[in-house]
Amino acid sequence: MKKYLVLEVTDDLYHAGSKATEDIANIAKTYGYKILKIKKLNSSSGVINKIKRQIQFYKDWNAVYKSIEINSIIILQHPFHFPQITRSYTLKKLKKNKKIKYISFIHDIEELRGFRFNSYYKKEFQFMCDITDQLISHNQSMTDFLISKGIQHEKIINLEIFDYIKDCDKINEIEKYDKSVIIAGNLDKEKCKFLKDLDKLDFLKINLYGPNYTDKLQSKNLNYLGVYPPTTLPQKLKGNFGLVWDGDSINSCSGDAGKYLQFNNPHKLSLYLASGIPVIIWSKAAEARFVETNKLGICVNSLYELQDILSTMTDEDYYKMVANVKNISNKLCDGYYTQKAIIKAEENLGN
């Protein structure tokens, strides 16, 4: 039985999503999966550019169909973000004519994320549900949602956390415990509205990393340290805790983006842990259970709670968390959770 993974290729070096999809592809490759690429030529607007993109998509999907042998397994990564001519038709044709089994890896569910949800993503989600044979969900909260949509629980596997492939030997050594906090990611304060209130946390020293930084975020407690691609960012991070937070407020993860934390596995959680850094996470986030169970950081309802928590935390308390994080970091860097999910999916398919 042959095994394949379809990979959408984009050119955005600073997009965490591309790191996640490429990591899954590289991990699958070590388990005998052949990578088949679907190329997006450019993101330029205009009729001619759109036509060129669709011609390339048509060529790539036609090549995919010809390459795949009968009775194979294919890993798909959902959602597909770009309308692509013949994609759905080709995948259905493969299932019907070549008896293909699909393992679907979920990266996002736009209905849960809210602000991007539209008719395209509604159709894309339904297509995934209809075509998949095994579905790799983020966690139990997301799995419960999928079951509510009619997917049989026997088809669903919980990933637990996204891996973050990097050199395991290059884990940050935290030499000083000064209660500093890292925020890595999109610094657009219109998207992440809680950023505008960080100056109210004047008891915290906060180091910022990422695109869309603006001088309007300047404050005595904030230090902007630049933007780096996901491959080099782990070595640049400086601080004691990585913050996993989103939404409109520092008092709670409110709004669509904040509420999405109740269902998804944020890739920045994997970034911090793979880098050897304990985390601060919203207590109602789906991954708070993972953090709490493995003693990887602090779970809070509000960021204001950190003043009392950090004031009583000793160096010994902190470095116990660092040791726990190192154990998980080694797994994330090696692709442990993705490997486990793929192996379980193959077993369920009788491979």
Side-chain angles (χ1 to χ4, degrees), residues 78-310:
H78 293 276
F80 286 95
H81 291 292
F82 318 112
Q84 298 168 4
I85 191 169
T86 77
R87 179 182 66 218
S88 299
Y89 171 79
T90 302
L91 293 172
K92 289 177 181 177
K93 186 178 175 183
L94 280 166
K95 194 172 187 71
K96 180 180 178 181
N97 294 351
K98 295 193 177 184
K99 312 302 179 187
I100 299 304
K101 298 292 186 182
Y102 289 110
I103 299 172
S104 293
F105 236 108
I106 295 177
H107 287 278
D108 284 298
I109 297 179
E110 298 302 342
E111 182 177 349
L112 292 173
R113 187 149 58 167
F115 68 93
R116 292 181 62 179
F117 187 54
N118 55 29
S119 59
Y120 170 80
Y121 283 114
K122 182 177 181 179
K123 184 178 179 181
E124 183 68 15
F125 178 82
Q126 190 58 53
F127 175 78
M128 176 191 73
C129 295
D130 292 342
I131 201 170
T132 193
D133 296 286
Q134 287 288 292
L135 190 58
I136 298 177
S137 169
H138 288 198
N139 53 62
Q140 190 58 46
S141 295
M142 183 176 283
T143 293
D144 291 341
F145 171 80
L146 293 168
I147 291 171
S148 76
K149 290 293 184 177
I151 299 178
Q152 296 174 330
H153 67 86
E154 294 86 357
K155 283 188 174 184
I156 307 173
I157 297 163
N158 288 340
L159 179 63
E160 293 187 74
I161 187 172
F162 278 105
D163 292 304
Y164 200 103
I165 303 302
K166 59 183 283 294
D167 188 340
C168 294
D169 294 330
K170 294 183 178 180
I171 294 178
N172 296 19
E173 291 297 331
I174 303 173
E175 298 178 355
K176 182 182 179 182
Y177 174 48
D178 60 3
K179 303 177 174 61
S180 55
V181 173
I182 300 164
I183 298 178
N186 189 344
L187 300 177
D188 182 347
K189 61 186 183 65
E190 296 304 316
K191 177 183 178 294
C192 306
K193 294 182 180 180
F194 78 93
L195 294 171
K196 70 183 186 304
D197 292 328
L198 292 176
D199 59 334
K200 297 177 181 178
L201 304 174
D202 54 4
F203 58 91
L204 282 181
K205 174 186 174 183
I206 303 174
N207 295 326
L208 303 172
Y209 299 82
N212 300 315
Y213 173 78
T214 172
D215 290 344
K216 293 180 180 179
L217 285 176
Q218 284 186 341
S219 176
K220 289 182 179 180
N221 66 324
L222 302 182
N223 185 25
Y224 180 61
L225 296 177
V227 55
Y228 303 94
T231 50
T232 59
L233 180 58
Q235 284 74 52
K236 303 295 183 179
L237 297 179
K238 297 182 184 300
N240 293 145
F241 296 94
L243 181 63
V244 184
W245 199 266
D246 211 338
D248 301 341
S249 171
I250 58 176
N251 199 43
S252 178
C253 289
S254 56
D256 286 344
K259 292 177 181 176
Y260 190 42
L261 285 175
Q262 296 179 66
F263 298 95
N264 79 320
N265 292 355
H267 202 246
K268 68 175 61 181
L269 172 63
S270 302
L271 162 67
Y272 298 139
L273 296 178
S275 304
I277 301 168
V279 298
I280 297 164
I281 189 170
W282 186 38
S283 59
K284 294 182 181 178
E287 286 292 78
R289 185 182 305 173
F290 184 88
V291 171
E292 188 173 32
T293 299
N294 293 286
K295 297 180 172 57
L296 306 173
I298 303 168
C299 301
V300 294
N301 294 308
S302 165
L303 293 182
Y304 288 113
E305 295 175 14
L306 290 172
Q307 186 164 15
D308 289 339
I309 293 172
L310 295 178

Side-chain angles (χ1 to χ4, degrees), residues 54-70:
Q54 292 303 324
I55 289 173
Q56 184 63 53
F57 289 145
Y58 174 81
K59 290 179 179 178
D60 287 347
W61 281 109
N62 191 46
V64 164
Y65 185 84
K66 291 180 179 179
S67 299
I68 292 172
E69 296 186 14
I70 294 174

